[in-house]
Amino acid sequence: SSDLLTDILVLHHVHHRKRHKRLADICFTLNYEDSYVISYSLKKLLKMKLVMSEKVGKEVFYRTTESSNELLERFREVRERCLFPGVEGELANSEALSDVAERLRLLSGLYDQAARAASSL
């Protein structure tokens, strides 16, 4: 279901680079305008003890827990077993694949910024 997909995307993003994330940052990165959807996902992940929250001043920051780190590591192993046999050449190298993914994220962000700027003209 789309709820489960959103939960997985949120969990992966909160875990990404092991930096604490704010709700607004998660919404922006995942391109969700309705923060309620992400907030609801975070509440479910908190209840399952896959993320934890910490209030710093007026901001709430989220980070993954040890149990989610183990779950995400198992997911990564399964994903690599399924993905890499079908990939050949330079992309078979996980470091090169990470570089391509980073460039795609950058391009996607630039595209989203340009689309928002164009819609305000």
Side-chain angles (χ1 to χ4, degrees):
S1 90
S2 64
D3 280 357
L4 180 58
L5 178 59
T6 300
D7 296 344
I8 292 168
L9 288 171
V10 169
L11 183 61
H12 273 276
H13 180 65
V14 170
H15 182 72
H16 183 67
R17 297 193 183 193
K18 297 186 171 118
R19 293 184 186 153
H20 299 190
K21 310 287 190 316
R22 298 176 307 148
L23 174 62
D25 299 328
I26 299 166
C27 291
F28 179 77
T29 301
L30 298 179
N31 201 20
Y32 277 77
E33 291 183 19
D34 186 1
S35 64
Y36 173 78
V37 173
I38 301 301
S39 182
Y40 179 62
S41 181
L42 286 166
K43 285 179 186 175
K44 291 189 290 183
L45 295 169
L46 282 163
K47 188 174 182 178
M48 291 185 284
K49 300 188 185 317
L50 295 174
V51 299
M52 55 191 333
S53 64
E54 177 183 358
K55 191 167 185 172
V56 179
K58 294 181 180 182
E59 299 282 356
V60 177
F61 290 85
Y62 297 91
R63 64 183 170 95
T64 53
T65 62
E66 189 60 38
S67 58
S68 69
N69 295 341
E70 293 168 8
L71 177 69
L72 289 166
E73 180 60 28
R74 287 195 315 268
F75 177 81
R76 186 188 65 75
E77 291 168 3
V78 170
R79 182 185 63 201
E80 285 183 6
R81 279 199 319 256
C82 295
L83 176 65
F84 285 125
V87 177
E88 297 177 359
E90 185 180 333
L91 290 181
N93 175 325
S94 63
E95 193 172 304
L97 190 59
S98 291
D99 184 51
V100 168
E102 179 64 30
R103 289 173 190 230
L104 287 171
R105 281 190 294 275
L106 176 63
L107 286 171
S108 177
L110 291 172
Y111 177 82
D112 288 343
Q113 281 181 331
R116 282 192 292 274
S119 69
S120 68
L121 296 177

